[in-house]
Amino acid sequence: MTNFMNIANMKTTYILIALLWLLHHTTIAQPTPVLLKNITLIDGNGGPPVLQSDILIKDGYIAAIGKQLSPQNAQQIDLTGKTIIPSLISSHAHIATLKSTTVAPENYTRDNIINQLKKYERYGISAVIIMGTDRPIIFNGLRDSSIAGLLPGARLYSAGYGFTAPEGIPPKSPAMQYLQRPATVEEATAQMKEMAKLHPAVVKIWVDDGGGKFPKMKRDIYQAIIKEAHKHGIKVAAHVYYLEDAKQLVADDINILGHSIRNKEIDNDLLQQMKANNVAYIPTLTLDKYAFIYADSPPWINDVFFKESLEPGVYDMITSKSFRDNIKTSPNYQRDQNGLAIAMINLKKIHDAGITVCMGTDSGATPVRTQGFSEHLEMALMVEAGLTPLQAISCATKNAASLLKIADQYGTIEIGKKADFIILSANPSNDINNTRKIESVWKNGEKLN
Ligand SMILES: [Zn+2]
């Protein structure tokens, strides 16, 4: 009797689950269209904002854009005084490396990954490229489900397991145990061939000596990785610091420079080569800023928008006297400030040359490179370097989407694209800091907060 009752209960439960599933999916398939009225539109293409725009959202997509649209059966939302921009894409980020003030392998859990993707999303970031620090658990469905929009949070694009020199940076540590350190051309080719099976969005290589302290990846090794990656149609992104390495990498068909050139100003020769080879450039200015800025109190230190992005314990850490003193007495203190100054000059030159610049931050790599806030600070630093706010927004939307080859669906607010966008209470074309005034974030045509 008891068994029978259990079976009957189980059946009821299954029927209930099936009904709930049906109900849930029926409402997703046929939502009421939404009409956003009288909003200032910044579509990501770089043109001037279009005042008093109406935008119709249907089935998760942008169905119409115009003036005084009057579709039938649409839920109307008056957004007079508000501005809409496409959701942001961070082209250089790290996920679940951190928890509180620690960087440790045990932080890389499904829960921590989802929590951090949700944090990015709260800050209006709809996609992130994780640059080489991922671990196997995401390749059993998590990454693909995230890209398909089936999981909460920003969509996770992965560069898989990054490549560096056998004794290169990042130094060997449990948190970096999946990095590949090929010693020979054969090994590099074989490892890249295996990596291709995971279908990474791009692959990442480190070509840097960490300020002269570590051996750099040798040229024949990265040539082999680039050659093999290209056989599989995969772009290669390089962590760089020095102009000389950037030149060699560009000559050897690199697709993306994943950080700024920080030792010297870029010359015309390299500008032309980068343009001719269609090399994308991710400045990650925040990384350089964070290297020294907490020696003093940055103007945003007590902003809620900043503090809410921090992992627990980080605020106390970065405002402590010992932390500040350590930065000031660090042998890199001056080098880091000079590096940022040169990076700013190079960004302006590179952008002026018509090279594709994509917003990326290296957020999530260390506790001070905070996720979400960094992406907004990065755009502000781009403006400080001489880009207009609209140009900085295009770097963070349209350009980053084209880098990921997802521009057919994401990166701009245009008819036929996914309805992924941010509604702001102030116009960022006048002041880039207005990207921080987030009223709501939308994903797949649904308001999230
Ligand atoms: Zn990085």
Side-chain angles (χ1 to χ4, degrees):
M1 191 64 185
T2 323
N3 276 344
F4 175 78
M5 285 291 284
N6 280 345
I7 290 163
N9 277 339
M10 273 168 67
K11 275 188 179 164
T12 319
T13 313
Y14 285 133
I15 290 165
L16 206 66
I17 288 169
L19 275 173
L20 280 171
W21 187 90
L22 252 173
L23 198 71
H24 182 67
H25 286 259
T26 327
T27 44
I28 282 179
Q30 292 292 327
T32 313
V34 174
L35 183 67
L36 309 179
K37 294 282 295 174
N38 303 318
I39 195 159
T40 300
L41 168 63
I42 292 174
D43 68 6
N45 284 311
V50 184
L51 306 178
Q52 295 191 308
S53 298
D54 290 355
I55 299 166
L56 180 67
I57 299 152
K58 227 171 160 176
D59 300 330
Y61 288 86
I62 311 277
I65 300 174
K67 300 271 182 198
Q68 295 172 345
L69 299 179
S70 51
Q72 288 185 337
N73 309 321
Q75 180 207 346
Q76 298 205 5
I77 306 173
D78 184 22
L79 293 166
T80 304
K82 316 287 182 201
T83 302
I84 186 170
I85 64 171
S87 292
L88 311 175
I89 297 170
S90 188
S91 303
H92 188 153
H94 296 275
I95 200 92
T97 302
L98 308 174
K99 196 166 193 181
S100 65
T101 57
T102 70
V103 171
E106 53 271 26
N107 295 342
Y108 199 90
T109 63
R110 185 189 163 88
D111 278 357
N112 203 24
I113 290 168
I114 301 281
N115 281 339
Q116 294 187 358
L117 291 173
K118 283 163 83 175
K119 186 195 283 182
Y120 276 119
E121 188 171 70
R122 284 197 297 279
Y123 282 81
I125 295 133
S126 63
V128 285
I129 307 182
I130 306 307
M131 277 294 189
T133 49
D134 280 320
R135 293 173 158 254
I137 61 164
I138 65 157
F139 299 111
N140 290 323
L142 197 160
R143 183 258 327 247
D144 295 341
S145 304
S146 173
I147 290 174
L150 301 172
L151 294 177
R155 294 178 171 86
L156 189 165
Y157 291 84
S158 175
Y161 316 130
F163 290 89
T164 188
E167 302 299 328
I169 57 157
K172 285 177 184 165
S173 74
M176 295 294 145
Q177 80 191 81
Y178 283 97
L179 256 56
Q180 308 186 84
R181 300 173 182 272
T184 64
V185 165
E186 293 71 32
E187 215 182 326
T189 305
Q191 288 176 346
M192 184 55 232
K193 206 171 269 177
E194 276 304 300
M195 270 282 304
K197 293 179 185 164
L198 297 176
H199 305 292
V202 297
V203 294
K204 160 89 173 280
I205 61 175
W206 273 266
V207 182
D208 188 7
D209 62 6
K213 294 196 279 289
F214 296 87
K216 263 185 220 171
M217 183 185 281
K218 295 203 165 66
R219 187 180 171 203
D220 60 341
I221 303 286
Y222 66 67
Q223 281 177 323
I225 296 167
I226 294 169
K227 197 170 150 202
E228 186 62 30
H230 287 178
K231 273 190 201 162
H232 302 275
I234 300 167
K235 292 180 187 177
V236 182
H239 165 119
V240 285
Y241 189 93
Y242 302 101
L243 177 70
E244 296 74 15
D245 291 326
K247 283 194 172 194
Q248 197 60 67
L249 284 156
V250 170
D252 288 331
D253 288 334
I254 198 78
N255 305 100
I256 302 158
L257 297 181
H259 293 295
S260 285
I261 296 164
R262 287 159 281 177
N263 67 321
K264 281 179 196 161
E265 284 187 34
I266 192 165
D267 54 50
N268 282 331
D269 216 37
L270 183 56
L271 286 171
Q272 280 168 18
Q273 273 301 314
M274 285 175 71
K275 173 84 177 146
N277 292 9
N278 202 18
V279 174
Y281 188 74
I282 307 172
T284 65
L285 301 170
T286 42
L287 169 160
D288 298 294
K289 187 89 170 172
Y290 290 142
F292 62 85
I293 195 66
Y294 298 117
D296 303 301
S297 213
W300 67 79
I301 193 84
N302 286 316
D303 287 0
V304 174
F305 192 73
F306 168 67
K307 287 176 87 173
E308 282 187 347
S309 75
L310 295 172
E311 289 282 311
V314 177
Y315 181 81
D316 290 342
M317 180 181 92
I318 59 179
T319 51
S320 70
K321 188 174 178 312
S322 62
F323 191 82
R324 287 180 173 174
D325 291 347
N326 278 342
I327 294 176
K328 280 184 193 153
T329 54
S330 155
N332 291 332
Y333 187 48
Q334 199 53 51
R335 181 185 191 252
D336 291 334
Q337 293 185 59
N338 296 345
L340 178 60
I342 296 168
M344 301 278 252
I345 293 167
N346 285 339
L347 169 58
K348 176 66 174 154
K349 285 189 173 182
I350 284 168
H351 191 270
D352 284 353
I355 292 156
T356 304
V357 174
C358 302
M359 186 273 285
T361 56
D362 218 351
S363 60
T366 69
V368 300
R369 298 180 197 161
T370 185
Q371 295 161 319
F373 173 80
S374 294
E375 281 64 26
H376 293 266
L377 178 62
E378 184 74 23
M379 290 189 289
L381 291 172
M382 287 174 146
V383 170
E384 213 178 293
L387 275 63
T388 68
L390 289 170
Q391 287 169 340
I393 290 169
S394 291
C395 293
T397 56
K398 181 188 187 157
N399 296 2
S402 76
L403 181 79
L404 271 174
K405 301 183 213 161
I406 56 170
D408 57 328
Q409 290 213 68
Y410 302 103
T412 54
I413 299 174
E414 292 177 290
I415 295 169
K417 302 261 174 114
K418 269 269 164 72
D420 280 13
F421 52 78
I422 314 170
I423 293 177
L424 304 169
S425 62
N427 187 339
S429 70
N430 310 320
D431 177 358
I432 193 65
N433 291 319
N434 286 342
T435 63
R436 302 173 196 189
K437 295 182 178 161
I438 297 174
E439 290 239 324
S440 59
V441 175
W442 295 58
K443 181 184 184 181
N444 285 333
E446 287 184 34
K447 190 178 164 187
L448 296 168
N449 49 348

PDB file of all heavy atoms in Angstrom, residues 185 189 192 220-234 236 252-253:
ATOM      1  N   VAL A 185      57.870  22.816 -30.170  1.00  0.00           N
ATOM      2  CA  VAL A 185      56.896  23.131 -31.214  1.00  0.00           C
ATOM      3  C   VAL A 185      55.874  21.988 -31.349  1.00  0.00           C
ATOM      4  O   VAL A 185      54.664  22.228 -31.471  1.00  0.00           O
ATOM      5  CB  VAL A 185      57.635  23.375 -32.560  1.00  0.00           C
ATOM      6  CG1 VAL A 185      56.675  23.339 -33.739  1.00  0.00           C
ATOM      7  CG2 VAL A 185      58.369  24.709 -32.508  1.00  0.00           C
ATOM      8  N   THR A 189      51.822  22.362 -30.822  1.00  0.00           N
ATOM      9  CA  THR A 189      50.871  22.005 -31.877  1.00  0.00           C
ATOM     10  C   THR A 189      49.869  20.968 -31.375  1.00  0.00           C
ATOM     11  O   THR A 189      48.660  21.108 -31.590  1.00  0.00           O
ATOM     12  CB  THR A 189      51.628  21.456 -33.109  1.00  0.00           C
ATOM     13  OG1 THR A 189      52.592  22.425 -33.495  1.00  0.00           O
ATOM     14  CG2 THR A 189      50.689  21.186 -34.264  1.00  0.00           C
ATOM     15  N   MET A 192      47.452  22.531 -28.855  1.00  0.00           N
ATOM     16  CA  MET A 192      46.474  23.400 -29.532  1.00  0.00           C
ATOM     17  C   MET A 192      45.427  22.562 -30.259  1.00  0.00           C
ATOM     18  O   MET A 192      44.238  22.903 -30.256  1.00  0.00           O
ATOM     19  CB  MET A 192      47.198  24.350 -30.495  1.00  0.00           C
ATOM     20  CG  MET A 192      46.286  25.360 -31.173  1.00  0.00           C
ATOM     21  SD  MET A 192      45.292  26.379 -30.049  1.00  0.00           S
ATOM     22  CE  MET A 192      43.659  26.141 -30.736  1.00  0.00           C
ATOM     23  N   ASP A 220      59.130  30.488 -31.806  1.00  0.00           N
ATOM     24  CA  ASP A 220      58.699  29.306 -32.576  1.00  0.00           C
ATOM     25  C   ASP A 220      57.515  28.603 -31.906  1.00  0.00           C
ATOM     26  O   ASP A 220      56.687  27.992 -32.571  1.00  0.00           O
ATOM     27  CB  ASP A 220      59.864  28.346 -32.846  1.00  0.00           C
ATOM     28  CG  ASP A 220      60.503  27.822 -31.561  1.00  0.00           C
ATOM     29  OD1 ASP A 220      60.300  28.445 -30.491  1.00  0.00           O
ATOM     30  OD2 ASP A 220      61.206  26.794 -31.617  1.00  0.00           O
ATOM     31  N   ILE A 221      57.414  28.733 -30.573  1.00  0.00           N
ATOM     32  CA  ILE A 221      56.292  28.119 -29.848  1.00  0.00           C
ATOM     33  C   ILE A 221      54.996  28.859 -30.179  1.00  0.00           C
ATOM     34  O   ILE A 221      53.983  28.248 -30.523  1.00  0.00           O
ATOM     35  CB  ILE A 221      56.526  28.135 -28.317  1.00  0.00           C
ATOM     36  CG1 ILE A 221      57.822  27.420 -27.941  1.00  0.00           C
ATOM     37  CG2 ILE A 221      55.321  27.563 -27.572  1.00  0.00           C
ATOM     38  CD1 ILE A 221      57.806  25.922 -28.013  1.00  0.00           C
ATOM     39  N   TYR A 222      55.027  30.201 -30.083  1.00  0.00           N
ATOM     40  CA  TYR A 222      53.754  30.895 -30.365  1.00  0.00           C
ATOM     41  C   TYR A 222      53.404  30.853 -31.841  1.00  0.00           C
ATOM     42  O   TYR A 222      52.230  30.812 -32.189  1.00  0.00           O
ATOM     43  CB  TYR A 222      53.669  32.282 -29.727  1.00  0.00           C
ATOM     44  CG  TYR A 222      54.557  33.421 -30.147  1.00  0.00           C
ATOM     45  CD1 TYR A 222      54.461  34.001 -31.408  1.00  0.00           C
ATOM     46  CD2 TYR A 222      55.449  33.977 -29.230  1.00  0.00           C
ATOM     47  CE1 TYR A 222      55.267  35.085 -31.756  1.00  0.00           C
ATOM     48  CE2 TYR A 222      56.249  35.056 -29.574  1.00  0.00           C
ATOM     49  CZ  TYR A 222      56.163  35.610 -30.834  1.00  0.00           C
ATOM     50  OH  TYR A 222      56.945  36.680 -31.157  1.00  0.00           O
ATOM     51  N   GLN A 223      54.422  30.797 -32.686  1.00  0.00           N
ATOM     52  CA  GLN A 223      54.119  30.629 -34.115  1.00  0.00           C
ATOM     53  C   GLN A 223      53.342  29.324 -34.347  1.00  0.00           C
ATOM     54  O   GLN A 223      52.384  29.287 -35.120  1.00  0.00           O
ATOM     55  CB  GLN A 223      55.412  30.586 -34.942  1.00  0.00           C
ATOM     56  CG  GLN A 223      56.014  31.960 -35.195  1.00  0.00           C
ATOM     57  CD  GLN A 223      57.326  31.875 -35.955  1.00  0.00           C
ATOM     58  OE1 GLN A 223      58.122  30.961 -35.745  1.00  0.00           O
ATOM     59  NE2 GLN A 223      57.556  32.840 -36.842  1.00  0.00           N
ATOM     60  N   ALA A 224      53.784  28.268 -33.659  1.00  0.00           N
ATOM     61  CA  ALA A 224      53.119  26.965 -33.824  1.00  0.00           C
ATOM     62  C   ALA A 224      51.682  27.001 -33.303  1.00  0.00           C
ATOM     63  O   ALA A 224      50.763  26.447 -33.920  1.00  0.00           O
ATOM     64  CB  ALA A 224      53.915  25.877 -33.091  1.00  0.00           C
ATOM     65  N   ILE A 225      51.476  27.681 -32.164  1.00  0.00           N
ATOM     66  CA  ILE A 225      50.121  27.777 -31.589  1.00  0.00           C
ATOM     67  C   ILE A 225      49.218  28.564 -32.543  1.00  0.00           C
ATOM     68  O   ILE A 225      48.091  28.143 -32.846  1.00  0.00           O
ATOM     69  CB  ILE A 225      50.160  28.444 -30.190  1.00  0.00           C
ATOM     70  CG1 ILE A 225      50.933  27.583 -29.204  1.00  0.00           C
ATOM     71  CG2 ILE A 225      48.727  28.697 -29.675  1.00  0.00           C
ATOM     72  CD1 ILE A 225      51.296  28.277 -27.892  1.00  0.00           C
ATOM     73  N   ILE A 226      49.726  29.694 -33.035  1.00  0.00           N
ATOM     74  CA  ILE A 226      48.923  30.542 -33.933  1.00  0.00           C
ATOM     75  C   ILE A 226      48.568  29.764 -35.205  1.00  0.00           C
ATOM     76  O   ILE A 226      47.416  29.755 -35.643  1.00  0.00           O
ATOM     77  CB  ILE A 226      49.680  31.857 -34.276  1.00  0.00           C
ATOM     78  CG1 ILE A 226      49.854  32.723 -33.023  1.00  0.00           C
ATOM     79  CG2 ILE A 226      48.936  32.638 -35.361  1.00  0.00           C
ATOM     80  CD1 ILE A 226      50.815  33.913 -33.187  1.00  0.00           C
ATOM     81  N   LYS A 227      49.572  29.087 -35.758  1.00  0.00           N
ATOM     82  CA  LYS A 227      49.347  28.342 -37.007  1.00  0.00           C
ATOM     83  C   LYS A 227      48.281  27.255 -36.809  1.00  0.00           C
ATOM     84  O   LYS A 227      47.353  27.134 -37.618  1.00  0.00           O
ATOM     85  CB  LYS A 227      50.681  27.712 -37.428  1.00  0.00           C
ATOM     86  CG  LYS A 227      50.715  27.265 -38.877  1.00  0.00           C
ATOM     87  CD  LYS A 227      52.134  26.876 -39.265  1.00  0.00           C
ATOM     88  CE  LYS A 227      52.066  25.799 -40.338  1.00  0.00           C
ATOM     89  NZ  LYS A 227      53.298  25.001 -40.410  1.00  0.00           N
ATOM     90  N   GLU A 228      48.409  26.519 -35.730  1.00  0.00           N
ATOM     91  CA  GLU A 228      47.456  25.432 -35.495  1.00  0.00           C
ATOM     92  C   GLU A 228      46.059  25.991 -35.176  1.00  0.00           C
ATOM     93  O   GLU A 228      45.052  25.479 -35.664  1.00  0.00           O
ATOM     94  CB  GLU A 228      47.956  24.535 -34.352  1.00  0.00           C
ATOM     95  CG  GLU A 228      47.108  23.285 -34.110  1.00  0.00           C
ATOM     96  CD  GLU A 228      47.062  22.336 -35.299  1.00  0.00           C
ATOM     97  OE1 GLU A 228      48.036  22.279 -36.080  1.00  0.00           O
ATOM     98  OE2 GLU A 228      46.025  21.654 -35.469  1.00  0.00           O
ATOM     99  N   ALA A 229      45.990  27.053 -34.381  1.00  0.00           N
ATOM    100  CA  ALA A 229      44.689  27.660 -34.047  1.00  0.00           C
ATOM    101  C   ALA A 229      43.991  28.117 -35.328  1.00  0.00           C
ATOM    102  O   ALA A 229      42.787  27.893 -35.509  1.00  0.00           O
ATOM    103  CB  ALA A 229      44.880  28.839 -33.099  1.00  0.00           C
ATOM    104  N   HIS A 230      44.746  28.735 -36.220  1.00  0.00           N
ATOM    105  CA  HIS A 230      44.149  29.236 -37.465  1.00  0.00           C
ATOM    106  C   HIS A 230      43.636  28.107 -38.346  1.00  0.00           C
ATOM    107  O   HIS A 230      42.652  28.283 -39.061  1.00  0.00           O
ATOM    108  CB  HIS A 230      45.159  30.110 -38.215  1.00  0.00           C
ATOM    109  CG  HIS A 230      45.368  31.447 -37.549  1.00  0.00           C
ATOM    110  ND1 HIS A 230      46.254  32.387 -37.998  1.00  0.00           N
ATOM    111  CD2 HIS A 230      44.786  31.998 -36.443  1.00  0.00           C
ATOM    112  CE1 HIS A 230      46.221  33.457 -37.209  1.00  0.00           C
ATOM    113  NE2 HIS A 230      45.341  33.231 -36.254  1.00  0.00           N
ATOM    114  N   LYS A 231      44.276  26.950 -38.278  1.00  0.00           N
ATOM    115  CA  LYS A 231      43.774  25.782 -39.033  1.00  0.00           C
ATOM    116  C   LYS A 231      42.353  25.440 -38.607  1.00  0.00           C
ATOM    117  O   LYS A 231      41.576  24.893 -39.365  1.00  0.00           O
ATOM    118  CB  LYS A 231      44.670  24.555 -38.766  1.00  0.00           C
ATOM    119  CG  LYS A 231      45.862  24.460 -39.671  1.00  0.00           C
ATOM    120  CD  LYS A 231      46.515  23.097 -39.486  1.00  0.00           C
ATOM    121  CE  LYS A 231      47.955  23.154 -39.969  1.00  0.00           C
ATOM    122  NZ  LYS A 231      48.743  22.031 -39.440  1.00  0.00           N
ATOM    123  N   HIS A 232      42.042  25.728 -37.328  1.00  0.00           N
ATOM    124  CA  HIS A 232      40.710  25.418 -36.789  1.00  0.00           C
ATOM    125  C   HIS A 232      39.801  26.642 -36.791  1.00  0.00           C
ATOM    126  O   HIS A 232      38.727  26.617 -36.191  1.00  0.00           O
ATOM    127  CB  HIS A 232      40.842  24.868 -35.359  1.00  0.00           C
ATOM    128  CG  HIS A 232      41.690  23.641 -35.280  1.00  0.00           C
ATOM    129  ND1 HIS A 232      41.193  22.370 -35.502  1.00  0.00           N
ATOM    130  CD2 HIS A 232      43.014  23.492 -35.053  1.00  0.00           C
ATOM    131  CE1 HIS A 232      42.187  21.488 -35.391  1.00  0.00           C
ATOM    132  NE2 HIS A 232      43.295  22.145 -35.114  1.00  0.00           N
ATOM    133  N   GLY A 233      40.262  27.723 -37.409  1.00  0.00           N
ATOM    134  CA  GLY A 233      39.445  28.943 -37.480  1.00  0.00           C
ATOM    135  C   GLY A 233      39.323  29.666 -36.151  1.00  0.00           C
ATOM    136  O   GLY A 233      38.348  30.377 -35.906  1.00  0.00           O
ATOM    137  N   ILE A 234      40.315  29.470 -35.262  1.00  0.00           N
ATOM    138  CA  ILE A 234      40.262  30.090 -33.929  1.00  0.00           C
ATOM    139  C   ILE A 234      41.255  31.264 -33.864  1.00  0.00           C
ATOM    140  O   ILE A 234      42.411  31.123 -34.255  1.00  0.00           O
ATOM    141  CB  ILE A 234      40.593  29.048 -32.830  1.00  0.00           C
ATOM    142  CG1 ILE A 234      39.580  27.893 -32.889  1.00  0.00           C
ATOM    143  CG2 ILE A 234      40.617  29.693 -31.449  1.00  0.00           C
ATOM    144  CD1 ILE A 234      39.987  26.683 -32.065  1.00  0.00           C
ATOM    145  N   VAL A 236      43.712  34.044 -32.032  1.00  0.00           N
ATOM    146  CA  VAL A 236      44.637  33.975 -30.895  1.00  0.00           C
ATOM    147  C   VAL A 236      44.830  35.379 -30.303  1.00  0.00           C
ATOM    148  O   VAL A 236      45.072  36.345 -31.026  1.00  0.00           O
ATOM    149  CB  VAL A 236      46.004  33.391 -31.322  1.00  0.00           C
ATOM    150  CG1 VAL A 236      46.935  33.276 -30.118  1.00  0.00           C
ATOM    151  CG2 VAL A 236      45.814  32.030 -31.989  1.00  0.00           C
ATOM    152  N   ASP A 252      53.639  37.743 -37.022  1.00  0.00           N
ATOM    153  CA  ASP A 252      53.358  36.307 -37.009  1.00  0.00           C
ATOM    154  C   ASP A 252      51.862  35.990 -36.949  1.00  0.00           C
ATOM    155  O   ASP A 252      51.457  34.917 -36.506  1.00  0.00           O
ATOM    156  CB  ASP A 252      54.080  35.644 -35.827  1.00  0.00           C
ATOM    157  CG  ASP A 252      55.585  35.582 -36.062  1.00  0.00           C
ATOM    158  OD1 ASP A 252      55.994  35.504 -37.244  1.00  0.00           O
ATOM    159  OD2 ASP A 252      56.348  35.629 -35.079  1.00  0.00           O
ATOM    160  N   ASP A 253      51.032  36.953 -37.364  1.00  0.00           N
ATOM    161  CA  ASP A 253      49.589  36.716 -37.559  1.00  0.00           C
ATOM    162  C   ASP A 253      48.747  36.633 -36.295  1.00  0.00           C
ATOM    163  O   ASP A 253      47.689  35.984 -36.287  1.00  0.00           O
ATOM    164  CB  ASP A 253      49.334  35.457 -38.405  1.00  0.00           C
ATOM    165  CG  ASP A 253      49.692  35.669 -39.852  1.00  0.00           C
ATOM    166  OD1 ASP A 253      49.645  36.843 -40.289  1.00  0.00           O
ATOM    167  OD2 ASP A 253      50.032  34.691 -40.533  1.00  0.00           O
TER     168      ASP A 253
END
